[in-house]
Each structure stands twice: as structure tokens, then as C-alpha cells.
């Protein structure tokens, strides 16, 4: 076991982690731990753009953006945080441009902007061009630009280091962060990183679904590490299903395709979104569009032999426009489906895309131990966190924005904290929990296989807690997850070695997914209303009286050693906007 | 609006519904120094839909047959750059290569990319590759006061370096280059591509410095224009052309 000492440790090297690192490394001795290489992070798969009311091409302002974010999140958004997001968006985009990001340009040479779902002029009058973009590879450009600037600033990376435990130590009656424990993939060695401040920026947890736009590596490792140490997870029942994933595969086809004029059609060729969202049509918020697609499918108007998908139609757009604005997604259609988007419609279905919930933080990125108490020295930003700027449903282009605004804020806050505070003493045997976990899985001779359990989990989640949910389907999921967690105790791996043992890491990742799936299902079962991405057929209306509040889920261990999820609730911060009926 | 032609999509959907599995042999170059210093070929037979990816086949092996098979992967759709490997003797991304496109009648050979040290099975040491990248100053350099708003750039100036912004640092190009195989000191195509991305960016002011770095004995002049890199690039970047443009800039000092 090796022990390292840094002022600030950042867990994850996607957009939020690297944006934080660029700030933190200027102010404190910083290490970035990533289970991949920085440029492999899933920020790179984001396509459509980053919202900011630059008003480069038409009238816009941050207040309209704030309203759209609050409405898009179905009034579960903390409005003070949304206001910060929308206001600081403008500098966040300009910062990236100055760092070198190659945005598409207007004829005047300023940053070009395009339409995106849920973003509107003057509180819902009509779509507005707010998304700053670089073709359909905006996330790729952000990831590359941030990595380039990390190289420029000399940021220290530990690549292929898996953070598996968060060290919390009680000091003067307060739980504080003492550091993290990591597993080095290349050697199997365990490393303890003692740090004055720790920032989680480790991304989402989409791999508990089968049809998902998420990378294989998005397994909720940061959420699970904190949850197991008794910290809450907020609003985990809210998961976004992006309307346009490639049929069966789930690969993302950007909403920018509809921003450029693409149209969703059913088997009769009908532009069905006109029925569900008369003003915004195909550019309604993602939860609305995904439900509309499944309504069409359920009512027999789906496409293909099984009627299980609909079409994204780009055939009326000029090929030059597709080449210039949507080169990657049109290539995906050619590569993976063998069809030509110039002339053929693309089969799509909703795909599990984004966790609105996560580790609760305040607007400085400080992690909360309950509704109000901060954990000194612990921060989170990006998809792993819940500020909450996305509420019950995130707007497209607000996640690339979130990682930049709150990545920067948490990087500055964590580095300043490291300056003002001393190390917290490490607990005795700080790596013991990780050593036990690794040895148990490596030595296990149980007869359950990781791939079997993972597939059963994914199929259960797709069937039971996707776009439409009922008490019955969620209960089925809760029971199945409990069974899988029990069987997980008998899981074993074939690779017993220390060198690049990805077999072992997949087993650990599955354990994370199972714990988080349980939190999600239990949280969803208790929310007897429909709001944003959480739609209950048995409670089809939003219930502001009883449920305009955040879910806070805690892990509790009983006297018998068994763990369970305990739910509590936290009020929503309302500043400017009282809840209204949500129409697009 | 023209009515879209459904024929191709219809045919694709019908084929997908039929999902005819075939038996394919994956012939994989295995290496694990914890077990043996020698690498060896191992055959695996799998049932797979030919429209699936090589990566899907590798997962079938890892998840159902042999958990010790080791490779990197993440996004699975050609964006993250993790899974460059040598498939039937050509560098490709396993997640962008469909079984049907690489003659599944014969065994499909899969081995680690060349020119970088193999750590285990298909995993190589990427550090020399990233070091060459870091050495070319792969970041925007400007002087003077920062403007309050964005720097202006015409659409034409933006287009000038568009091709080289697509790089995902997968190393397919560099590890396909015979010069790099023979001499790991050569910067390699990927580093030059990333230098090109900044040299031809109208906002940047360090073009001369990067050109001097690439004027080195291990720089662009080592390129023998074999076009392996261009063939290997999964992003369709015209790598050889970018290298030629850097050579020309070194001669004319105009960029």
C-alpha cells in the first residue's frame, strides 16, 4: 500500500473534473485520479452544444434561460442554483473559447448558436438559438480543450486509478473528508490519497440500463463510495431518457438534429409531436418527447416489423447542412445501421441518458451530509452531483454547461479550503475496506457470474423503471434488485491476477450499480406523483402539495448487518418562479 | 417536403428482426507476463450477429468464455478512442468495425497495436504516445490582453483546421506507421496532427515554436508518406495531408 499526500484530489477527469483541475492546480497541489485516460471520458460523447444566453444571433438573456431551466426541471430545480447556472453560462462559454475551443462561427466571426429542446424566447413563446456548438461534437471539443489546458497548466494525473472508498473521519464532532482509497489497474496495488479536499467528478450511472447512451464505464463509482459511507443521494429516481437513441443500440443522436430541423415521424409518416407539444413540437423537453414516442408505440403507430421504434427524419434537410452541422451522427447511422440519412429515415427509440440525481451539494460544490450540514473538505460537480440545477428533467445543453460552471466553482472552493485548513488524520488501516473488497472478490469461488447478474439488472431496469412506471413495475424492480444483491455475494471472477485485472473491476462496478439501482427504485416507489423524468401511470399528475421536495436517500445498516434505504426529503429552493402547469 | 424513401430502412429493419447468428472464430494474440513471457495466439468460437461490432465479440468472450481476456474500451461508438487494435492486420477501433465488414468466413485476427509495449493481451503502454502529444504544445497560445468577449474567427479560418480537431488520440495512426515501429523517438502522426490543429488556428501565436519542435530530427521529416496513418484513422482525418501541410509550412514559414 502506498500513501500519497496532496492538497486537493479530484476523482474523475471528464469535463467537470478537468475544469476543476485547471482552477485547483493554480492554487493548490492537485492530483487528478481517473479510472480511464482523461480523453476517454464520456463528456467527449456529448454532441449538441452548451447553452448560454450570448444573444449572438437573436435576443436572449440569462433570465429566460433560468426560467426554461426551472420549467424544464418541472419545478424541482433549486432556483438559486439555476440562476447561477444561467448567469455564469456566458463566462463559461467565453472561458472555453479563450482556452481554444473551436466553436462554429457566425458570418460575423462570433460564436454561432442553434436551437435546442426546451430553450425558449421570453418564457416559452418560441424556440430560441441558445446552444453554442462545434458541429455535433461539442463534448469532444470541450473534453479535448480542457485536457489541452490541463497539459498547459501541468496538471498531475493518475490514469487508470479506480477510487473505491471515501475516507471520512469524525473530528470535533464533525464528519470530515480525509482522502480517498484507489486501486491501480496496471499493478493491482492499493493507494491511499490523503488530501485536504476531495472533489468527486466521476460521472453518471447509466449502465444499470440496457439501452443507454452511456459508456460501459459509467457505473456510479463516486455515488456508491459516498453512499456506502453514510452520505445521502438526492433525487435518484429522476433519470433522463433521451428521445433519440439508435434503435436497440442506444447510441446518442443529438437533439441538435431536431434543432437543425429534423422531425420525428410514426409509421404513418405523421409528425406526431404536433399533437403533444403544439408550440415547441419536436423541441419540447426530453421527458415529454420520450413519453410521446412511447405513447405512439403503445398505440400501434410504431415503425418496423415489431412496431417498437419511430423515425428521426432528416431527409428534407440539405446534405450540405447535414455534413456541416451533423457529421458524426449521420456517420453513426451509416456505420451502425447501414442507412443513408440523406435519403432514409433513422430508426430511433428513447435511450437511458442522464442521472439528474446524485451526491447533494450546495452552489459552491460542497457535499451535504443531510439537508443542511456541509461535509468539510468534500466536493462534487457534474453528473455525479445534484446541486440541483436539473430538477426532475435536465434541458439539453445544460449538462455541458453544468460541468463547466460547477466544475470551476468546486475547483476554486476546494483549493481555497485546502489553503485554509490542515490535513485530517487518516483513520487506522485506511485501506482496509478496499483490501477486503478486492480480496473477497478475487478469492471468491462462488458460482454467480458478473455478466449474468448485470444483464438481469439491466433488463429489469429497462422493463420496470424506464419512461413509464407504476407501483407494480417498481415493486418488481425492488424485489429483483434485492435478489440480485443477494446473489452478488456469490459472484466470482476468473482473472485472479494483479495486472490489468479488468475482470475484477467489472465485478466491483456491478456492486456499485446494484446499490444505486436499489436507491433509485426505492426512491421512485415512494414518489407517488409524476414529475419530469419520473412518470407514474398510477399517479399521472404532478403533486406540488406533497412532492415538491427533493428525495434524500440514506443507507442504513440494521443490527443484523443488513442494509436498507431510508428516505427523507428536502425542500426545493424557490426564488422567482411559482410552479405552473407545464406545457410546450 | 419530399416523402422519405423507406426502402433501405425497411430492409435494414427486416434484417435486424431476423437476426441471423453466425459462428465466427476470433484469433487473439494473448500475453500476460504474470503467466508467461511468451505471447501466443488463442482461438475462440462465438455466435454473433454479423451486424454487431468486433467489440461485442470481445465482450462475448470476456463475459461468457474467458474473463481474463483484457482490453480497453469505454464509449463503444468510436468517440473515446480506447479500443484501437490490429484487426486482420489493420489498425481499427473494435467498436467501429462490424463483423460483416471483415470477412467472418475466416478467423478474425486481433492483436495489440504495434510500436508500443504490450502490457497484457490487447492493452499497451500509452505513455510514450501521450508524451509525444504533450511535447508539441497542444494548447492555444496567445499574448496580449484577453478580449472581454470571444475572439473573432471567420468561418473560413475556423474551417482551415477543422479536420485535425477531430482527433480522439486513439493511436491508430501512430501505431500503424512503419517509421514509428522502427524508431519510437519519432513524434508520430497523432502528435503532428495535434500540432497542425494549433499551427493553422488563426487565434494561435505559437506556430513558429511548434514548427521548430517538429523540425527536429525526430520530427515531420521522418515521415515517408506511406499513408498508413490516413488509412488507419477511424475519424477520417487526412493525416498524411496534415503532415504535408506542416512540412510545407516549415519550408515557406507561411501558415
Amino acid at each position: 500500500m502506498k500513501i500519497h499526500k496532496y492538497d486537493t484530489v479530484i476523482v474523475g477527469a471528464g469535463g467537470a473534473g478537468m475544469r476543476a483541475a485547471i482552477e485547483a492546480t493554480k492554487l493548490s497541489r492537485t492530483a487528478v485520479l481517473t479510472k480511464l485516460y482523461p480523453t476517454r471520458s464520456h463528456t467527449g460523447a456529448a454532441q449538441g452544444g452548451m447553452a448560454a444566453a450570448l444573444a449572438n444571433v437573436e435576443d436572449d438573456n440569462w433570465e429566460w434561460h433560468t426560467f426554461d431551466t426551472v420549467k424544464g426541471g418541472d419545478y424541482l430545480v433549486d432556483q438559486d442554483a439555476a440562476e447561477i447556472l444561467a448567469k455564469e453560462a456566458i463566462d463559461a462559454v467565453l472561458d472555453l473559447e479563450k482556452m481554444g475551443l473551436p466553436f462554429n462561427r457566425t458570418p460575423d466571426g462570433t460564436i454561432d448558436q442553434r436551437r435546442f429542446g426546451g430553450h425558449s424566447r421570453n418564457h416559452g413563446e418560441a424556440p430560441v438559438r441558445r446552444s453554442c456548438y462545434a458541429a455535433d461534437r461539442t463534448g469532444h471539443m470541450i473534453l479535448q480543450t480542457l485536457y489541452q489546458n490541463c497539459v498547459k497548466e501541468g496538471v498531475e494525473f493518475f490514469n487508470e486509478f479506480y477510487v473505491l472508498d471515501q475516507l471520512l473521519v469524525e473530528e470535533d464532532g464533525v464528519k470530515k473528508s480525509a482522502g480517498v482509497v484507489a486501486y491501480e489497474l496496471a499493478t493491482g496495488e492499493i493507494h491511499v490519497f490523503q488530501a485536504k479536499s476531495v472533489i468527486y467528478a466521476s460521472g453518471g450511472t447509466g449502465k444499470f440500463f440496457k439501452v443507454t447512451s452511456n459508456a460501459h464505464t459509467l457505473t456510479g463509482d463516486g455515488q456508491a463510495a459516498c453512499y456506502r459511507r453514510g452520505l445521502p443521494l438526492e433525487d435518484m429516481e429522476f433519470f433522463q431518457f433521451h428521445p433519440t437513441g439508435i434503435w436497440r443500440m442506444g447510441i446518442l443522436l443529438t437533439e441538435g438534429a431536431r434543432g437543425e430541423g429534423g422531425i420525428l415521424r410514426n409509421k404513418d409518416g405523421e409528425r406526431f409531436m404536433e399533437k403533444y407539444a403544439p408550440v415547441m413540437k419536436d423541441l419540447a423537453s426530453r421527458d415529454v418527447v420520450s413519453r410521446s414516442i412511447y405513447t405512439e408505440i403503445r398505440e400501434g403507430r410504431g415503425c418496423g416489423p415489431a412496431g417498437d421504434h419511430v423515425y428521426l427524419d432528416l431527409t428534407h434537410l440539405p446534405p450540405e447542412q447535414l455534413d456541416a452541422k451533423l457529421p458524426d451522427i449521420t456517420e453513426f447511422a451509416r456505420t451502425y445501421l447501414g442507412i443513408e440519412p440523406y435519403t432514409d429515415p433513422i430508426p430511433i427509440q428513447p435511450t437511458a441518458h442522464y442521472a439528474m440525481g446524485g451526491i447533494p451539494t450546495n452552489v459552491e460544490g460542497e457535499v451535504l451530509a443531510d439537508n443542511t450540514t456541509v461535509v468539510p473538505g468534500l466536493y462534487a460537480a457534474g453528473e455525479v452531483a445534484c446541486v440541483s440545477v436539473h430538477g426532475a428533467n435536465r434541458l439539453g445543453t445544460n449538462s455541458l454547461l453544468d460541468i463547466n460552471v460547477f466544475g470551476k466553482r468546486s475547483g476554486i472552493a476546494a483549493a481555497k479550503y485546502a489553503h485554509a485548513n490542515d490535513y485530517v488524520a487518516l483513520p487506522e488501516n485506511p485501506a482496509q475496506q478496499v483490501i477486503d473488497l478486492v480480496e473477497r472478490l478475487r478469492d471468491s469461488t462462488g458460482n454467480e457470474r458478473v455478466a449474468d447478474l448485470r444483464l438481469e439488472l439491466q433488463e429489469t431496469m429497462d422493463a420496470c423503471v424506464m419512461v413509464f412506471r407504476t407501483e407494480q413495475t417498481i415493486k418488481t424492480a425492488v424485489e429483483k434488485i434485492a435478489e440480485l444483491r443477494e446473489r452478488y455475494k456469490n459472484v466470482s471472477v476468473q482473472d485472479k491476477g494483479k495486472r490489468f485485472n479488468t475482470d475484477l473491476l467489472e465485478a466491483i462496478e456491478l456492486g456499485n450499480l446494484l446499490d444505486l439501482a436499489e436507491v433509485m427504485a426505492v426512491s421512485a416507489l415512494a414518489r407517488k406523483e409524476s414529475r419530469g423524468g419520473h412518470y407514474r401511470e398510477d399517479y399521472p399528475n404532478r403533486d406540488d402539495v406533497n412532492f415538491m421536495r427533493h428525495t434524500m436517500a440514506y443507507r442504513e445498516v440494521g443490527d443484523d448487518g443488513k442494509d436498507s434505504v431510508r428516505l427523507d426529503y428536502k425542500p426545493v429552493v424557490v426564488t422567482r418562479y411559482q410552479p405552473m402547469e407545464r406545457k410546450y | 417536403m419530399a416523402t422519405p424513401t423507406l426502402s433501405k430502412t425497411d430492409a435494414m429493419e427486416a434484417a435486424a428482426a431476423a437476426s441471423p447468428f453466425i459462428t465466427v472464430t476470433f484469433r487473439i494474440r494473448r500475453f500476460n507476463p504474470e503467466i508467461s513471457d511468451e505471447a501466443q495466439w488463442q482461438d475462440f468460437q462465438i455466435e454473433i450477429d454479423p451486424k454487431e461490432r468486433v467489440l461485442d465479440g470481445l465482450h462475448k468472450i470476456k463475459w461468457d468464455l474467458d474473463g481474463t481476456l483484457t482490453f480497453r474500451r469505454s464509449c463503444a461508438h468510436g468517440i473515446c478512442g480506447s479500443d484501437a487494435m490490429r484487426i486482420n492486420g489493420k489498425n481499427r477501433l473494435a467498436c467501429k468495425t462490424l463483423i460483416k465488414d471483415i470477412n467472418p468466413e475466416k478467423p478474425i485476427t486481433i492483436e495489440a497495436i504495434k510500436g508500443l509495449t504490450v502490457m497484457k493481451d490487447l492493452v499497451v503502454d500509452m505513455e510514450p504516445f501521450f508524451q509525444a502529444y504533450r511535447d508539441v504544445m497542444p494548447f492555444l497560445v496567445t499574448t496580449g490582453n484577453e478580449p472581454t468577449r470571444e475572439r473573432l474567427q471567420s468561418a473560413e479560418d475556423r474551417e482551415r483546421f477543422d479536420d485535425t480537431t477531430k482527433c480522439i488520440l486513439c493511436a491508430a495512426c501512430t501505431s500503424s506507421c512503419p517509421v514509428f515501429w522502427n524508431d519510437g523517438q519519432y513524434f508520430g502522426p497523432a502528435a503532428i496532427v495535434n500540432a497542425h490543429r494549433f499551427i493553422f488556428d488563426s487565434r494561435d501565436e505559437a506556430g513558429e515554436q511548434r514548427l521548430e519542435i517538429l523540425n527536429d530530427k525526430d520530427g515531420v521529416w521522418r515521415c515517408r508518406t506511406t499513408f498508413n496513418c490516413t488509412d488507419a484513422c477511424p475519424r477520417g482525418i487526412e493525416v498524411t495531408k496534415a503532415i504535408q501541410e506542416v512540412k510545407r509550412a516549415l519550408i515557406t514559414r507561411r501558415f
Side-chain angles (χ1 to χ4, degrees):
Chain A
M1 187 187 79
K2 270 191 192 151
I3 295 187
H4 310 254
K5 256 183 145 173
Y6 284 87
D7 293 333
T8 305
V9 161
I10 298 171
V11 183
M18 291 204 283
R19 189 66 190 81
I22 288 167
E23 301 301 326
T25 212
K26 293 173 189 164
L27 303 167
S28 68
R29 193 162 168 266
T30 300
V32 181
L33 279 53
T34 165
K35 73 183 204 181
L36 305 166
Y37 277 76
T39 57
R40 313 303 183 213
S41 304
H42 212 53
T43 295
Q47 297 167 354
M50 172 168 166
L54 298 183
N56 278 359
V57 287
E58 59 181 324
D59 263 0
D60 198 7
N61 65 64
W62 62 259
E63 192 273 318
W64 295 352
H65 185 184
T66 308
F67 172 78
D68 289 338
T69 300
V70 171
K71 178 183 171 187
D74 220 349
Y75 297 91
L76 196 71
V77 171
D78 287 323
Q79 297 183 11
D80 56 339
E83 190 166 318
I84 288 170
L85 182 82
K87 269 186 192 167
E88 295 185 7
I90 294 159
D91 275 341
V93 167
L94 297 178
D95 279 356
L96 286 171
E97 196 284 327
K98 287 168 194 172
M99 286 186 210
L101 197 138
F103 284 108
N104 276 44
R105 300 287 172 157
T106 65
D108 298 335
T110 58
I111 295 168
D112 198 11
Q113 299 187 270
R114 67 176 164 207
R115 293 175 173 181
F116 235 81
H119 289 281
S120 74
R121 173 162 54 85
N122 194 18
H123 314 94
E125 271 182 14
V128 73
R129 290 171 65 181
R130 185 178 290 148
S131 165
C132 309
Y133 67 99
D136 55 355
R137 33 181 97 110
T138 315
H140 164 77
M141 298 301 190
I142 288 178
L143 191 70
Q144 295 292 326
T145 300
L146 291 175
Y147 183 59
Q148 289 154 5
N149 281 270
C150 284
V151 171
K152 189 177 186 177
E153 300 292 340
V155 172
E156 195 173 346
F157 287 99
F158 289 81
N159 298 326
E160 297 184 320
F161 273 58
Y162 285 64
V163 169
L164 299 180
D165 195 15
Q166 166 61 40
L167 298 174
L168 292 175
V169 172
E170 203 160 301
E171 212 180 64
D172 312 325
V174 183
K175 252 190 202 176
K176 295 181 176 177
S177 172
V180 299
V181 185
Y183 174 97
E184 185 183 2
L185 183 65
T187 61
E189 191 164 8
I190 310 281
H191 297 256
V192 174
F193 286 80
Q194 189 178 15
K196 295 175 185 172
S197 54
V198 171
I199 306 173
Y200 279 89
S202 47
T205 179
K207 265 326 240 196
F208 51 38
F209 289 99
K210 186 159 181 257
V211 176
T212 174
S213 63
N214 281 204
H216 285 286
T217 42
L218 287 171
T219 50
D221 309 335
Q223 293 91 323
C226 290
Y227 175 68
R228 289 201 193 112
R229 288 297 187 177
L231 298 176
L233 295 176
E234 181 176 349
D235 290 341
M236 290 293 282
E237 65 271 40
F238 294 101
F239 206 93
Q240 176 165 88
F241 301 90
H242 192 291
T244 53
I246 289 182
W247 176 45
R248 290 183 170 179
M249 298 182 84
I251 295 172
L252 179 68
L253 300 179
T254 177
E255 193 168 287
R258 283 169 283 138
E260 294 290 340
I263 291 169
L264 295 171
R265 297 187 187 281
N266 62 21
K267 73 167 183 186
D268 305 319
E270 183 193 4
R271 182 180 191 177
F272 58 84
M273 279 312 300
E274 288 178 332
K275 292 184 294 194
Y276 302 98
V279 177
M280 297 293 278
K281 300 189 177 85
D282 298 272
L283 289 174
S285 66
R286 288 176 179 173
D287 57 325
V288 171
V289 179
S290 284
R291 275 195 293 281
S292 305
I293 291 171
Y294 271 121
T295 303
E296 290 296 302
I297 290 170
R298 284 174 156 202
E299 292 177 359
R301 293 185 295 277
C303 307
D308 60 354
H309 57 277
V310 299
Y311 292 136
L312 172 62
D313 179 10
L314 307 175
T315 57
H316 53 292
L317 301 176
E320 311 83 70
Q321 186 184 352
L322 297 184
D323 292 349
K325 303 292 182 68
L326 303 167
D328 278 0
I329 64 145
T330 45
E331 192 195 309
F332 294 157
R334 293 179 194 118
T335 301
Y336 296 112
L337 298 171
I339 61 173
E340 176 46 69
Y342 296 159
T343 51
D344 308 311
I346 308 169
I348 58 97
Q349 72 179 94
T351 180
H353 186 56
Y354 187 87
M356 269 74 75
I359 301 169
T361 73
N362 61 23
V363 295
E364 304 307 327
E366 295 173 296
V367 170
L368 300 174
D370 54 36
N371 286 4
T372 51
T373 314
V374 161
V375 182
L378 193 58
Y379 299 78
E383 191 174 346
V384 72
C386 181
V387 185
S388 156
V389 288
H390 308 307
N393 170 67
R394 173 175 70 73
L395 288 190
T397 66
N398 267 357
S399 62
L400 289 180
L401 177 56
D402 175 11
I403 59 177
N404 278 286
V405 168
F406 290 100
K408 178 178 180 178
R409 280 180 158 252
S410 63
I412 294 170
K416 283 187 175 166
Y417 179 88
H419 258 279
N421 292 276
D422 209 345
Y423 288 100
V424 174
L426 289 173
E428 229 173 284
N429 302 325
Q432 199 55 50
Q433 184 164 312
V434 171
I435 292 169
D436 291 348
L437 171 74
V438 166
E439 285 183 356
R440 181 173 62 76
L441 282 168
R442 203 192 268 139
D443 299 341
S444 167
T445 53
N447 55 3
E448 293 286 359
R449 294 196 313 177
V450 171
D452 297 341
L453 298 190
R454 186 174 47 212
L455 185 60
E456 286 183 47
L457 171 67
Q458 291 169 337
E459 287 179 342
T460 302
M461 297 296 276
D462 275 17
C464 298
V465 287
M466 227 178 55
V467 171
F468 289 109
R469 304 167 175 179
T470 67
E471 173 141 337
Q472 195 46 55
T473 65
I474 302 170
K475 275 188 173 161
T476 303
V478 170
E479 284 162 21
K480 183 71 185 177
I481 294 163
E483 177 210 310
L484 293 170
R485 291 184 79 226
E486 202 52 41
R487 286 166 58 193
Y488 179 72
K489 292 173 184 163
N490 271 323
V491 100
S492 65
V493 297
Q494 279 179 284
D495 195 337
K496 308 291 183 189
K498 294 203 157 175
R499 193 178 176 85
F500 288 93
N501 191 340
T502 53
D503 203 21
L504 175 71
L505 268 306
E506 282 193 36
I508 292 173
E509 290 170 336
L510 173 63
N512 294 341
L513 289 176
L514 284 168
D515 285 2
L516 298 173
E518 182 190 31
V519 175
M520 183 196 203
V522 170
S523 302
L525 189 61
R527 184 172 285 275
K528 294 179 175 174
E529 65 153 356
S530 289
R531 184 185 296 273
H534 171 74
Y535 190 85
R536 290 279 302 254
E537 290 184 87
D538 41 355
Y539 300 95
N541 298 315
R542 197 175 75 198
D543 176 358
D544 290 332
V545 175
N546 294 304
F547 286 105
M548 199 173 126
R549 54 186 192 173
H550 300 290
T551 306
M552 298 286 274
Y554 296 81
R555 177 171 181 262
E556 290 223 312
V557 183
D559 295 334
D560 55 359
K562 287 205 165 179
D563 63 351
S564 61
V565 184
R566 175 176 67 83
L567 297 182
D568 195 3
Y569 293 91
K570 187 174 86 164
V572 173
V573 179
V574 177
T575 56
R576 293 165 184 262
Y577 310 108
Q578 289 303 314
M580 295 187 301
E581 194 193 348
R582 187 163 165 261
K583 283 185 192 160
Y584 280 101
Chain B
M1 189 211 73
T3 311
T5 57
L6 284 176
S7 55
K8 222 173 176 181
T9 306
D10 277 344
M12 186 280 295
E13 288 164 329
S19 65
F21 275 52
I22 58 169
T23 304
V24 176
T25 301
F26 272 33
R27 181 163 292 165
I28 303 175
R29 187 82 169 159
R30 304 293 307 268
F31 174 67
N32 183 357
E34 280 188 308
I35 294 169
S36 165
D37 290 338
E38 303 247 327
Q40 56 182 326
W41 293 98
Q42 186 177 2
D43 283 5
F44 296 94
Q45 240 116 49
I46 51 170
E47 301 288 313
I48 195 163
D49 181 333
K51 291 183 295 301
E52 289 190 83
R53 298 159 275 202
V54 169
L55 179 63
D56 296 314
L58 291 171
H59 274 146
K60 277 179 201 281
I61 294 169
K62 183 170 183 68
W63 294 344
D64 297 338
L65 302 173
D66 185 350
T68 68
L69 180 66
T70 303
F71 49 92
R72 293 188 176 108
R73 88 289 186 256
S74 188
C75 80
H77 65 285
I79 292 300
C80 78
S82 297
D83 63 348
M85 47 191 80
R86 212 166 148 79
I87 300 168
N88 284 351
K90 273 189 71 177
N91 280 5
R92 311 166 190 254
L93 297 182
C95 64
K96 265 191 108 170
T97 307
L98 305 192
I99 302 287
K100 68 180 174 61
D101 296 332
I102 50 166
N103 188 15
E105 311 283 307
K106 287 190 187 165
I108 294 167
T109 63
I110 301 173
E111 56 195 309
I113 48 177
K114 286 174 75 172
L116 294 160
T117 307
V118 180
M119 309 299 284
K120 182 177 175 184
D121 293 345
L122 306 173
V123 173
V124 299
D125 178 11
M126 293 294 286
E127 188 44 36
F129 172 82
F130 277 103
Q131 187 57 49
Y133 166 82
R134 289 193 290 266
D135 285 345
V136 299
M137 303 171 66
F139 40 78
L140 190 75
V141 176
T142 59
T143 54
N145 292 332
E146 294 226 312
T148 46
R149 293 285 295 196
E150 67 264 51
R151 289 193 174 77
L152 299 182
Q153 183 169 53
S154 71
E156 295 71 39
D157 283 345
R158 166 65 181 80
E159 183 61 26
R160 180 67 189 85
F161 62 101
D162 186 63
D163 201 35
T164 45
T165 64
K166 296 188 298 195
C167 176
I168 55 174
L169 297 169
C170 67
C173 60
T174 295
S175 64
S176 74
C177 173
V179 179
F180 182 77
W181 296 339
N182 291 331
D183 180 1
Q185 298 295 309
Y186 172 44
F187 278 93
I192 301 169
V193 159
N194 281 280
H196 177 285
R197 178 253 172 271
F198 288 100
I199 292 167
F200 292 94
D201 185 333
S202 59
R203 299 169 297 174
D204 185 77
E205 296 174 38
E208 287 287 352
Q209 279 169 267
R210 283 189 207 91
L211 286 175
E212 273 321 304
I213 293 168
L214 293 174
N215 203 16
D216 184 86
K217 66 178 170 54
D218 296 318
V220 285
W221 306 114
R222 302 291 304 277
C223 168
R224 289 284 173 269
T225 337
T226 54
F227 284 90
N228 281 17
C229 50
T230 303
D231 289 344
C233 180
R235 302 286 287 152
I237 300 171
E238 294 180 277
V239 181
T240 313
K241 184 179 166 203
I243 297 173
Q244 292 303 101
E245 287 177 353
V246 171
K247 286 181 183 169
R248 200 174 311 130
L250 261 168
I251 294 165
T252 63
R253 296 286 165 170
R254 286 177 55 172
F255 49 87

